[in-house]
Amino acid sequence: MGTRRHAIINYSVLSDAVGYRLRRAQLAVFQDFGESFAAEGLRPADFSVVLIIKHNPGLKQSEVAEALGIQRANFVAIVDGLEGRDLVERRKSETDRRVQALFLTPLGEQFADNMMKTWKAHEDRMIEKLGGAQARDELIRLVNRLTE
Amino acid sequence: MGTRRHAIINYSVLSDAVGYRLRRAQLAVFQDFGESFAAEGLRPADFSVVLIIKHNPGLKQSEVAEALGIQRANFVAIVDGLEGRDLVERRKSETDRRVQALFLTPLGEQFADNMMKTWKAHEDRMIEKLGGAQARDELIRLVNRLTE
């Protein structure tokens, strides 16, 4: 009495189901990411979009979305949010005025530099949980086989 | 001309970022799952809920949601959907009339048996992509460290 009863769960095939285990792990990593960036209100998708634009200025919206595997509607919402925070700007492409190219603003450049420090601390925690850089490399090697 | 130009993307730290790589892999596995279960319109979360109820009949809603790490609002929507398809039923708990316990319907039991065949084919594809059962075990061992 007074202690909370926890049901003992039979997980059946979920115990070592690839999709289920990947999803739980991904949620745990994203939760740590969310806590790390709580002050900035930055989500993993925002981070990846800022990073791709920083390292590939002038890409078309569709190219960034495709590179990250983000669906168009979701991607537009992400860029709207980043534009609203004056981190990203859309400019008409010089080669095709009908398409929008993406760039970081000066504030966005500064933001991108600062976010890398927070990200590094998060990533180091994940690598430590995995058991070091070698274990991380092994994990990446394995999960990449699922996307090939 | 005539071939589509693909931008060469600099992914910077995303190339071996744990969260990003896990997310891409999880999405790839869930896409295969979705294609496998397109006829049944079954999503991974539905599958896991049916499986947990089958192997743990009479659990409270909150216990199933917690076991699977699904947020309450999302979980209620999932159970509503499964109830609407006459696969799952809520009954008042015999020990506490204020809480709802979850059971499969007879149709749900039959559905659960059938879905395991489709799931096994999906899972076998994922294991083959990974390079066999040993690689799968190694992956599970690594990702579990992230949720401990």
Side-chain angles (χ1 to χ4, degrees):
Chain A
M1 307 298 268
T3 59
R4 181 153 172 231
R5 187 179 70 85
H6 271 277
I8 294 167
I9 309 282
N10 175 358
Y11 280 87
S12 177
V13 299
L14 289 182
S15 300
D16 58 2
V18 173
Y20 178 70
R21 285 290 164 201
L22 279 179
R23 177 66 170 156
R24 294 303 298 256
Q26 175 256 311
L27 287 173
V29 174
F30 275 31
Q31 183 168 341
D32 185 282
F33 184 101
E35 289 163 7
S36 304
F37 281 105
E40 295 86 356
L42 197 78
R43 294 160 305 174
D46 301 322
F47 173 83
S48 62
V49 169
V50 169
L51 198 71
I52 292 292
I53 298 173
K54 175 180 173 58
H55 291 278
N56 308 270
L59 277 190
K60 292 186 223 167
Q61 295 200 90
S62 59
E63 290 171 329
V64 180
E66 191 188 337
L68 293 170
I70 301 176
Q71 291 183 344
R72 185 175 167 74
N74 297 335
F75 185 76
V76 168
I78 291 166
V79 175
D80 284 348
L82 294 171
E83 202 176 44
R85 295 169 69 176
D86 192 24
L87 300 176
V88 162
E89 58 177 335
R90 296 169 161 112
R91 296 187 216 151
K92 286 201 170 68
S93 166
E94 288 173 13
T95 54
D96 183 346
R97 306 287 294 169
R98 291 164 305 176
V99 305
Q100 302 272 7
L102 296 174
F103 297 86
L104 295 189
T105 63
L107 184 64
E109 291 285 354
Q110 197 182 316
F111 183 87
D113 290 342
N114 287 332
M115 81 179 188
M116 292 314 292
K117 298 186 194 98
T118 305
W119 177 80
K120 180 76 165 50
H122 153 74
E123 192 70 6
D124 285 348
R125 271 195 303 282
M126 298 304 103
I127 294 169
E128 194 183 334
K129 276 198 162 191
L130 285 168
Q134 205 173 332
R136 187 269 320 271
D137 292 347
E138 175 69 8
L139 174 65
I140 302 289
R141 198 174 64 82
L142 287 166
V143 297
N144 282 355
R145 293 181 184 168
L146 295 167
T147 50
E148 275 159 10
Chain B
M1 307 298 270
T3 59
R4 183 156 171 229
R5 188 180 68 86
H6 271 280
I8 294 168
I9 308 283
N10 174 357
Y11 280 88
S12 177
V13 299
L14 289 182
S15 299
D16 58 2
V18 172
Y20 178 71
R21 284 291 164 202
L22 280 178
R23 177 64 170 157
R24 295 301 299 256
Q26 175 255 311
L27 287 172
V29 174
F30 275 31
Q31 183 167 341
D32 185 282
F33 184 100
E35 288 163 7
S36 304
F37 281 105
E40 294 87 356
L42 198 76
R43 295 159 306 174
D46 302 323
F47 173 84
S48 62
V49 169
V50 168
L51 198 71
I52 291 291
I53 297 174
K54 175 178 173 61
H55 290 278
N56 309 270
L59 277 191
K60 292 185 224 169
Q61 295 200 86
S62 57
E63 290 170 330
V64 179
E66 191 188 336
L68 293 170
I70 301 175
Q71 291 183 343
R72 185 176 167 71
N74 297 336
F75 186 76
V76 168
I78 292 166
V79 175
D80 285 349
L82 294 170
E83 201 177 45
R85 295 170 69 176
D86 192 24
L87 300 176
V88 162
E89 59 178 335
R90 295 168 162 114
R91 296 186 214 151
K92 286 200 171 69
S93 165
E94 288 174 13
T95 53
D96 182 347
R97 305 288 293 171
R98 292 164 304 177
V99 304
Q100 301 272 8
L102 296 175
F103 296 87
L104 294 188
T105 63
L107 185 62
E109 291 285 355
Q110 197 182 317
F111 182 87
D113 290 343
N114 287 333
M115 80 179 188
M116 292 314 292
K117 297 186 195 98
T118 305
W119 178 80
K120 180 76 165 51
H122 153 74
E123 192 70 6
D124 285 347
R125 270 194 303 282
M126 298 304 104
I127 293 169
E128 194 184 335
K129 277 198 160 193
L130 285 168
Q134 205 173 335
R136 188 270 320 271
D137 292 347
E138 175 68 7
L139 174 65
I140 302 289
R141 196 174 65 81
L142 286 166
V143 296
N144 283 354
R145 293 182 184 168
L146 295 167
T147 50
E148 274 159 10

